[in-house]
Structure formats: C-alpha cells, structure tokens
Amino acid sequence: STLSGLQYLTAEQLGGLTWDTVGGSWKRRLHTTQIFAQVIDPQTPLPVKLEIFQRLNQGGAPLTAHEIRNSISRKRSRDFLRELANSPAFLQATGCVFADHPRMADFEAVLRVCAFRIEADLGRYEDFGGLDDFLTAAARRLDNEKKFPAARLEQLRTEFERAMHNALGIFGKHAFRKQRRVAGYLF
C-alpha cells in the first residue's frame, strides 16, 4: 500500500511511495521508531477500561468526559450524536454556540437530552454514580441495536428535534442560556 494522508511528512517526502520504493534512510527511521501500545482485553469491564484510559490520558491535555466516552463508543451512537449536533434545530436553539465544538461539548449536550429521554424513570438517575456514568450508560444503550432498535432511534431523533423547536419557540434566542452564555447543565 502507498503512504498517503501523512500528518507530519509532506507528500514530497513520502507521499505515494510504498515500502519497496521508499529509501533506505526512511526504512531505518521507520524501523527504529518506538511505538507504545496498551492492549486491553475486550472482555475487560467498561469501568476498568475507562479507568485505564483516564490514567493513560494523564500525560497530555486531559480529555473531557465526553471525549473519553466517545473513544469507547461505537459508530452508531457517534454518528447519531453528530447528526443531531449538526441539525438545524439544535444549531438554532443554541445560537450555534456549540457548532463544531473542538472539545465535543455539542455532542455531550445532545447526549444529555437523549439520555433523559431514553431513561423514562428519572428516579433511576440516582442508581448511577453521577452524570458521567448516566451518560455513558445512555451512549452504550444507543450503540446496542437489540436494546435500542432503529425505530426507537428514529423516534428519539424526532423527539429531540421537537424539544429543540419547542425550546426555541418558548424561550426564543434565550433558550439554554444563563447570563448570555449557553449553560450546558440546562440540557
């Protein structure tokens, strides 16, 4: 396969080359580069995976709770949250404050709304260790097609958009705002 889409090297340096055509100095450099990987058994319980991920994440810029949640979520929930975060209803209700948020605050705000719609018995909220555990459980439920079939996903999409339209209709440009800022906890 060809080397392409490189993050640090330009196309002139390695772009389009294969292992057979890349020069000897580059081969040596690639062979001597250390790659560190932590392999976690797929059977490891989710709380343990999260703990390991958080400990490994201590070195660089700490990830937000949702960035960590996103890293262990499946494509189904990630795509669903992305779609709702980019929906005109959400963008209008929030005044585009969250639009393409670099730390995924838009996805978390959407997940908050969805989590409380998914969990009909709000008294069960206390059964979770806190908001992060509650949101993680909701994301896992969205990922499970057996527990959350496509028809229920479509229903949730409709309910979410209706909630955004209603919030905008009732509160106008002040929906989800507290003193000129969007307040995430209002979601």
Side-chain angles (χ1 to χ4, degrees):
S1 63
T2 60
L3 301 169
S4 61
L6 305 172
Q7 185 175 0
Y8 297 106
L9 301 173
T10 65
E12 293 80 33
Q13 290 173 307
L14 284 180
L17 296 176
T18 65
W19 183 253
D20 293 333
T21 59
V22 71
S25 63
W26 281 109
K27 281 185 183 180
R28 278 190 302 283
R29 192 167 170 190
L30 292 169
H31 268 299
T32 59
T33 299
Q34 290 185 356
I35 298 174
F36 297 96
Q38 305 292 329
V39 180
I40 301 171
D41 186 332
Q43 303 304 318
T44 303
L46 182 62
V48 175
K49 287 180 184 177
L50 287 172
E51 178 68 24
I52 292 169
F53 193 87
Q54 287 174 331
R55 287 183 185 198
L56 292 173
N57 185 41
Q58 297 296 319
L63 298 178
T64 65
H66 191 76
E67 288 171 324
I68 293 170
R69 190 171 21 261
N70 185 67
S71 72
I72 62 168
S73 294
R74 293 194 174 123
K75 185 178 185 327
R76 186 176 196 238
S77 66
R78 290 192 311 260
D79 289 349
F80 182 72
L81 296 176
R82 179 180 299 108
E83 180 184 329
L84 294 183
N86 291 318
S87 70
F90 178 75
L91 294 172
Q92 287 175 336
T94 60
C96 293
V97 171
F98 287 120
D100 297 321
H101 197 277
R103 300 303 305 263
M104 303 186 90
D106 50 350
F107 287 32
E108 182 171 343
V110 169
L111 182 59
R112 285 181 183 207
V113 174
C114 292
F116 282 103
R117 290 299 301 158
I118 290 169
E119 188 58 62
D121 180 8
L122 294 182
R124 283 223 30 213
Y125 176 76
E126 294 176 2
D127 295 344
F128 296 91
L131 181 62
D132 286 337
D133 291 344
F134 181 69
L135 295 177
T136 299
R140 288 180 54 97
R141 202 159 169 194
L142 287 172
D143 279 330
N144 189 330
E145 290 185 52
K146 289 180 182 173
K147 291 184 180 178
F148 211 84
R152 180 65 181 103
L153 204 61
E154 285 305 313
Q155 181 184 0
L156 182 58
R157 176 183 286 108
T158 301
E159 292 169 354
F160 176 84
E161 290 184 359
R162 185 177 331 121
M164 293 299 109
H165 287 299
N166 289 345
L168 187 61
I170 293 169
F171 301 109
K173 67 179 184 176
H174 303 291
F176 307 112
R177 294 185 185 277
K178 180 181 178 184
Q179 299 176 352
R180 294 187 216 123
R181 289 188 358 246
V182 172
Y185 64 84
L186 291 177
F187 281 92

